[in-house]
Amino acid sequence: MSEGIQNDIAPALSQFCHEHQSEMLSVLKQAVEIESPSDNKAALDRCGQYLAEEFERLGGKVTLYPQRDAGNHLKAEFPGGGGSKPVLLLGHFDTVWSMGTLAGMPFRIADGRVYGPGVLDMKAGIVMMMFALRALRSVNHESHRPVTVLLDTDEEVGSTTGRPLVEATARQCEAVLVLEPAQGLSGCLKTARKGVGNFTIHVTGRAAHAGVDFERGRSAVVELARQILEVTKSTDLSRGITVNPGVIMGGTRTNVVAAEASVEVDIRIARAADAAELEKKFSGLRPSDPDCSLKVTGGVNRPPMERTEGTVRLFRLAQEQARKLGLNVDEASTGGGSDGNFTSALGLPTLDGLGGVGEGAHAIHESIVLEELPRRTALLASLIASI
Ligand SMILES: [Zn+2]
C-alpha cells in the first residue's frame, strides 16, 4: 500500500472531482438518456457503444462481448504502474426501466438531487468509474494497480450471461470494487449481501364441477396452499433466511375445483452453507394429497456475499481513505444481490455500494444526492490508489 503517496493525493483527487462536477453531470445525463432496459438488446448495445467510446477516450482497451439475446457486455482495461493484478471495477448498465420511461421520468436536477431512470442503479456508478480514473491521471498518480472495468447487461435479470464473464475476469484480479448504489442516504458501503434463489412449485390436481361432483375433484389450489405453508416454515430471521411466496396463480372459476396452481418463491440466505438445505427442502416436497402431483423447479442463483476477512480489510481501507477526504463512511449488509455476490463467492475481497448515494432504486423517485457525486468519486479514486 502506498501510504506515503496517499497522504499527498487525497486533496488533489477531491479537488479534481469537485472541479469536474458539471462535466460528470453531462456524461451522466447522456448515459441516463440512452435508455437501456435489460430486455432490449438494441437499446443496451446503443448504451454499450456510448460507454465503450467514453472508456476508449480515457485510454482504456475496450472489449465488447457479443451476446445473442442479452446486450453485449463491456470490458475496459487500463494499465497501471504498481502491482501486477488489476483492481476490478464492477457494474452493469442494464436498468429495470422499460423503453420510453424517460419521457415521463426525465433526467433532471432539482433540490440537490439528480433524477432519472437508472441514475442510481447504476449509471452514476459508471460515470464515477470514468472520473475516478481521470482524477488519478490528473494527479500523475501512476503507481496504482492496473484497473479493469467490467459492465454486464443482464444483472437486473439474474446475470445469466454476465456471470461467467464476471467470474472469469474477477479471477485475474486482486480485489473487486462494486459501483452499485450505497446503502441508504447515509451512504453505507456494503460488506455483505444475501444470496438469492427462485423456485416455482406447480401443482396438478383434478378439475371437477364444484357443485355437481365436488368429491371427484382434487384441488390444486388447496394442495398448493399446504405446500406454501410447508416451505415458509424455513424462514428463520435469526439465521437470515427468508422464504417469500411472492406470486401465486391457480384455478379458473369459483365453481370449478382447480386443476392447476403454482407459486413463485423468492428465497434469501445469509450463508452459503444454507443453500443446500433450502434446495433439499424444495426438491423434497411431496404432495399431501396423493392424487395431486408436484413439479418443482429453480434453485439458488446468487450465492451470498459473506462478510469475509478480505472484504473487511477493503472496507477498513475505504474508511481510512474517506477520513483523509474528510468523509465518514460506515458499513451495512443488505438482502439484495449483485454481481459482487459471485466475486465474493470466489473468495475475492469484494466491497460493494461504492456507487451513487441516493434513494428509490427501481422506483419512480430514483435519485442520487448531487453533492455526494464528487465526494464518492474521490473516495473511489483514493481507494484504487491504496490497494
Ligand atoms: Zn444494480
Side-chain angles (χ1 to χ4, degrees):
M1 285 172 208
S2 39
E3 189 56 32
I5 298 163
Q6 274 301 295
N7 287 325
D8 300 325
I9 67 168
L13 292 172
S14 175
Q15 193 187 339
F16 177 92
C17 294
H18 282 89
E19 282 173 2
H20 288 76
Q21 179 173 298
S22 60
E23 205 179 325
M24 287 180 80
L25 283 172
S26 80
V27 178
L28 182 57
K29 181 172 190 290
Q30 292 185 68
V32 168
E33 290 183 345
I34 306 174
E35 290 177 282
S36 50
S38 309
D39 61 358
N40 189 324
K41 177 171 172 61
L44 285 162
D45 289 347
R46 264 196 305 278
C47 188
Q49 195 54 47
Y50 168 71
L51 297 173
E53 282 162 22
E54 288 296 312
F55 281 112
E56 233 154 38
R57 277 203 310 135
L58 301 180
K61 180 179 149 246
V62 173
T63 313
L64 287 166
Y65 293 84
Q67 304 295 314
R68 204 189 57 191
D69 301 317
N72 301 335
H73 309 305
L74 186 162
K75 183 164 85 177
E77 294 164 288
F78 295 85
S84 55
K85 281 182 155 187
V87 174
L88 178 60
L89 307 184
L90 185 58
H92 61 91
F93 59 92
D94 61 321
T95 76
V96 297
W97 298 102
S98 312
M99 205 62 193
T101 300
L102 191 67
M105 189 184 163
F107 180 92
R108 69 191 171 92
I109 301 168
D111 310 320
R113 295 285 182 96
V114 185
Y115 296 86
V119 69
L120 173 64
D121 190 6
M122 53 157 278
K123 287 179 173 172
I126 297 172
V127 174
M128 290 167 66
M129 294 176 185
M130 294 173 186
F131 281 80
L133 289 163
R134 281 183 58 180
L136 283 168
R137 193 187 307 152
S138 78
V139 301
N140 289 321
H141 183 68
E142 261 107 38
S143 67
H144 64 77
R145 289 174 176 276
V147 173
T148 299
V149 170
L150 186 69
L151 304 173
D152 65 5
T153 60
D154 58 359
E155 195 275 344
E156 296 288 7
V157 289
S159 302
T160 312
T161 69
R163 179 177 184 169
L165 181 61
V166 168
E167 291 178 335
T169 309
R171 279 200 181 94
Q172 315 297 321
C173 295
E174 175 72 18
V176 183
L177 307 179
V178 188
L179 274 288
E180 290 276 2
Q183 176 93 332
L185 284 171
S186 58
C188 289
L189 303 181
K190 295 169 178 171
T191 50
R193 283 182 179 272
K194 282 189 179 177
V196 188
N198 290 291
F199 291 91
T200 301
I201 306 169
H202 187 94
V203 182
T204 304
R206 189 192 304 149
H209 191 298
V212 178
D213 45 18
F214 177 85
E215 60 282 0
R216 290 178 51 99
R218 297 289 181 272
S219 172
V221 166
V222 173
E223 178 63 30
L224 182 70
R226 293 193 194 102
Q227 299 297 332
I228 290 172
L229 290 176
E230 180 57 33
V231 295
T232 52
K233 281 184 199 157
S234 293
T235 291
D236 185 343
L237 298 181
S238 68
R239 288 167 64 201
I241 300 173
T242 59
V243 177
N244 181 51
V247 181
I248 61 170
M249 284 165 289
T252 50
R253 306 216 183 283
T254 57
N255 60 1
V256 177
V257 176
E260 308 283 338
S262 64
V263 62
E264 291 169 23
V265 186
D266 170 295
I267 66 139
R268 308 275 159 156
I269 51 173
R271 279 176 291 268
D274 295 330
E277 186 185 316
L278 267 290
E279 287 180 332
K280 198 167 148 222
K281 171 90 181 180
F282 276 84
S283 64
L285 290 174
R286 295 291 173 263
S288 61
D289 179 344
D291 291 336
C292 288
S293 62
L294 300 184
K295 189 175 170 230
V296 180
T297 54
V300 173
N301 48 36
R302 276 186 208 276
M305 169 179 152
E306 297 191 33
R307 190 176 179 278
T308 61
E309 237 172 77
T311 291
V312 172
R313 261 201 317 277
L314 265 186
F315 170 68
R316 299 269 175 253
L317 203 52
Q319 252 189 336
E320 194 183 307
Q321 300 311 313
R323 264 195 299 275
K324 288 175 188 167
L325 293 159
L327 309 174
N328 191 23
V329 294
D330 229 320
E331 67 176 310
S333 66
T334 171
S338 86
D339 285 338
N341 290 52
F342 300 134
T343 63
S344 173
L346 293 177
L348 282 152
T350 301
L351 185 59
D352 205 333
L354 282 158
V357 178
E359 62 183 339
H362 303 195
I364 193 78
H365 60 294
E366 176 168 8
S367 60
I368 59 163
V369 177
L370 177 53
E371 66 177 2
E372 294 289 351
L373 188 62
R375 288 180 187 160
R376 293 291 171 130
T377 306
L379 175 59
L380 175 62
S382 193
L383 183 55
I384 291 169
S386 67
I387 291 172

